[in-house]
Amino acid sequence: MSKIYTRQGDHGATQLLAHERVSKTDGRIEANGEIDELVAVLGMARAQMAEADAHRAQLAHIQHQLMAVMGHVASSGAVAVSGLADEVAQMEAQIDSLSADAPFRFVVPGTTLVEATLHLARTKARTAERRLWGLKGQYVIGDDVLMYLNRLSDYLFALATHYVG
């Protein structure tokens, strides 16, 4: 493996997709940091699920979509993310299926480890969405990206209820 450190960030700057150097406190870096944390928490949830669990594969797919969203953010909207409207429609169908028999109610996470981890992912999705809304006036952030993150938090809420036990 080659060296993973470059020392170029040692003075508070980092590089975006188009080789633009920006402060590590730049809003795009902050937003992508939130999305990166969300990807990691989704990985924790996946690792706790049975190998044959279909939701495990769905979470892996979502992780890949979020990586594409990070490219969109790092390029200030120059790199589009395709298919997000279809993804939103699929999530809505899954939300409807997962919550068909359960009335909405607020929950205190912690019934099972998977459920609690999915709720943590849900809160990270909401934080990432807020960061992206904060960028929308300054940079191009696709409406489909914002809708995707909004629906993702809803999906994660519904999915968490599936693992209550």
Side-chain angles (χ1 to χ4, degrees):
M1 183 167 149
S2 61
K3 292 181 180 181
I4 63 168
Y5 59 88
T6 63
R7 298 187 177 126
Q8 292 182 16
D10 291 351
H11 301 287
T14 192
Q15 186 169 293
L16 290 172
L17 213 53
H19 305 293
E20 175 187 1
R21 302 268 321 152
V22 297
S23 168
K24 289 188 177 192
T25 61
D26 182 282
R28 293 164 292 181
I29 302 304
E30 291 288 338
N32 270 349
E34 297 291 345
I35 297 168
D36 192 27
E37 288 180 31
L38 172 56
V39 170
V41 175
L42 289 171
M44 288 174 58
R46 278 183 48 228
Q48 296 165 21
M49 294 175 176
E51 195 72 35
D53 189 329
H55 298 293
R56 181 183 166 107
Q58 177 63 20
L59 291 183
H61 175 75
I62 290 168
Q63 287 176 296
H64 286 94
Q65 288 295 98
L66 289 169
M67 298 293 274
V69 166
M70 289 173 68
H72 177 77
V73 174
S75 70
S76 301
V79 174
V81 185
S82 63
L84 288 183
D86 291 337
E87 298 280 335
V88 167
Q90 289 173 13
M91 275 195 278
E92 287 174 350
Q94 291 178 25
I95 292 166
D96 292 344
S97 175
L98 287 164
S99 57
D101 297 329
F104 175 82
R105 62 183 175 82
F106 289 101
V107 298
V108 176
T111 304
T112 68
L113 189 55
V114 174
E115 176 256 355
T117 305
L118 287 167
H119 278 297
L120 179 59
R122 173 186 56 79
T123 64
K124 291 307 296 179
R126 290 208 187 282
T127 302
E129 179 192 6
R130 288 191 306 272
R131 296 295 177 271
L132 291 178
W133 273 108
L135 292 177
K136 183 137 175 85
Q138 285 180 276
Y139 304 101
V140 175
I141 303 293
D143 291 339
D144 56 344
V145 168
L146 294 163
M147 191 182 316
Y148 180 81
L149 276 163
N150 183 275
R151 209 64 80 253
L152 177 58
S153 63
D154 295 335
Y155 168 71
L156 293 170
F157 180 90
L159 185 59
T161 64
H162 176 73
Y163 291 96
V164 170

